[in-house]
Amino acid sequence: MKKISIVIPVFNEADNLSLMYQKINGVFETIQEYTFEIIFVNDGSRDRTQEKLAQLSRNYSEVKYLEFSRNFGHQPAVKAGMDFANGNAVISMDGDLQHPPELIPDLIKKWEEGFDVVLTNRFYPKEISYFKKRTSHLFYKFLSTISDVDLRKGGGSDFRLLDAAVVQEFRNFTEDDLFLRGLTSWIGYKQTTINFTAGERNAGESSYNLKKMMKFAFTGITAFSVKPLYFAVYLGFIFSAIAILGYGIYVIHSFAANTEISGWASLIMTVVFFGGVQLIILGIIGIYLGKIFKQVKERPNYIIRSKNF
């Protein structure tokens, strides 16, 4: 019998764990030709998540857990689950039930058809704001444009199935700033995508605030493209040309009209404008230098405090 490993990163999801197990177990009761394990990765939760996981693991042999020493983030949590999974295929999904477990048989079916990577393309229910839908779409379109990978299909969800051979490749990655959505598209293999509508969160609140989403966006952009550096260079040339042409004409006109002593307003605006452009360019360079600084330290992506296997 083939074994399916389900990797679920959790952060303050104590009220969702039992229901999550029940739904996944119910799914596999309908496809009894497969065995399964659930690897919950506790990403530094501050509620009773670890207590609930310990209880579930005592009651059900399929339940495994990894407890981080602190909060390392969603992407390292998914990576940790894949590092310890030993199934013929690994499915990663969120623990808030917005990734419907009922879709698992469809993922497995595509895998059995010969696909090594089965991505999911998430559609939002009507309750989700237009702003979130639109910004998510524009972000992945923009990221696909400036990088070498296409993230428009399946890029907006961590709900995916990976064959064991693909998971083994992921274990070899030593990147500090993980962006698994991009790496999944970059890694190749035979891929396909299926659509789903995101479910409603069962309990708790999402920990993905605007600050975390912005950080995630910058990680994705800088992890798969150096085009922002080229953009900074082009921007410098453009504004230098504007300055030479525009202010050159202004200086010549001033001398011709004998009004070369100008007011302070234009000077201040010029300094502020070009100072801002320089800071933007230095910021872009700084982000890449910061990534290099963290990478050369070769610190682990996560530290495990405890596990039950």
Side-chain angles (χ1 to χ4, degrees):
M1 297 177 68
K2 294 181 179 180
K3 183 177 182 180
I4 308 296
S5 298
I6 314 291
V7 173
I8 305 176
V10 290
F11 178 72
N12 295 339
E13 300 284 3
D15 296 331
N16 291 324
L17 300 177
S18 296
L19 182 59
M20 193 73 188
Y21 169 78
Q22 293 170 10
K23 284 185 172 291
I24 293 176
N25 183 65
V27 167
F28 278 93
E29 286 179 350
T30 65
I31 47 174
Q32 298 183 0
E33 60 271 27
Y34 300 93
T35 60
F36 74 99
E37 66 175 358
I38 306 176
I39 302 176
F40 289 101
V41 184
N42 182 8
D43 186 23
S45 297
R46 295 186 293 269
D47 62 356
R48 298 175 61 236
T49 292
Q50 186 56 37
E51 180 184 337
K52 289 284 188 178
L53 288 177
Q55 180 181 351
L56 277 175
S57 66
R58 289 192 296 266
N59 295 337
Y60 308 105
S61 60
E62 301 91 353
V63 175
K64 314 292 176 57
Y65 67 78
L66 301 170
E67 181 190 9
F68 282 176
S69 61
R70 63 171 178 83
N71 179 259
F72 283 90
H74 182 272
Q75 300 293 282
V78 177
K79 174 69 161 52
M82 292 194 295
D83 289 344
F84 283 84
N86 61 5
N88 299 99
V90 177
I91 296 175
S92 62
M93 59 193 304
D94 291 345
D96 54 9
L97 294 172
Q98 290 188 315
H99 293 164
E102 293 78 13
L103 200 66
I104 290 175
D106 295 332
L107 296 174
I108 295 176
K109 182 180 178 181
K110 289 293 183 182
W111 172 57
E112 292 287 12
E113 290 175 2
F115 292 100
D116 303 300
V117 178
V118 185
L119 304 170
T120 62
N121 189 26
R122 176 177 56 191
F123 289 91
Y124 291 99
K126 294 181 179 179
E127 291 79 10
I128 300 297
S129 67
Y130 174 80
F131 175 78
K132 183 173 182 179
K133 294 180 185 178
R134 191 60 183 168
T135 53
S136 177
H137 171 75
L138 290 176
F139 166 66
Y140 287 105
K141 183 178 180 180
F142 173 70
L143 186 55
S144 298
T145 301
I146 69 168
S147 67
D148 298 325
V149 294
D150 187 359
L151 296 175
R152 283 171 290 187
K153 291 186 177 181
S157 173
D158 284 303
F159 189 17
R160 67 179 73 89
L161 179 147
L162 304 176
D163 183 79
V166 181
V167 173
Q168 183 58 46
E169 296 297 333
F170 271 102
R171 290 174 182 149
N172 297 328
F173 291 156
T174 58
E175 297 187 20
D176 181 76
D177 280 337
L178 289 169
F179 187 66
L180 297 178
R181 298 178 187 182
L183 288 173
T184 304
S185 297
W186 174 87
I187 202 170
Y189 285 89
K190 191 176 181 181
Q191 303 192 7
T192 189
T193 304
I194 60 178
N195 299 325
F196 79 98
T197 300
E200 295 183 2
R201 167 177 279 271
N202 176 64
E205 296 181 357
S206 174
S207 60
Y208 249 72
N209 53 32
L210 181 60
K211 180 180 178 181
K212 287 187 176 181
M213 284 190 281
M214 290 296 293
K215 181 181 178 181
F216 188 67
F218 279 116
T219 298
I221 291 170
T222 55
F224 282 91
S225 178
V226 294
K227 289 183 180 179
L229 294 174
Y230 288 98
F231 173 76
V233 174
Y234 297 148
L235 197 65
F237 277 117
I238 291 172
F239 283 111
S240 295
I242 292 174
I244 292 173
L245 294 175
Y247 285 96
I249 295 172
Y250 173 74
V251 169
I252 293 173
H253 176 269
S254 297
F255 274 103
N258 198 27
T259 58
E260 61 271 22
I261 300 177
S262 58
W264 61 270
S266 59
L267 177 62
I268 292 298
M269 289 300 296
T270 302
V271 171
V272 170
F273 178 74
F274 285 103
V277 172
Q278 291 174 342
L279 287 175
I280 292 172
I281 295 173
L282 287 174
I284 293 172
I285 297 172
I287 290 173
Y288 282 95
L289 287 177
K291 292 174 73 71
I292 296 172
F293 173 73
K294 291 195 294 182
Q295 185 67 40
V296 297
K297 290 178 178 292
E298 296 185 352
R299 291 173 179 169
N301 293 127
Y302 55 85
I303 298 174
I304 295 175
R305 181 173 181 268
S306 67
K307 62 181 187 295
N308 70 330
F309 66 105

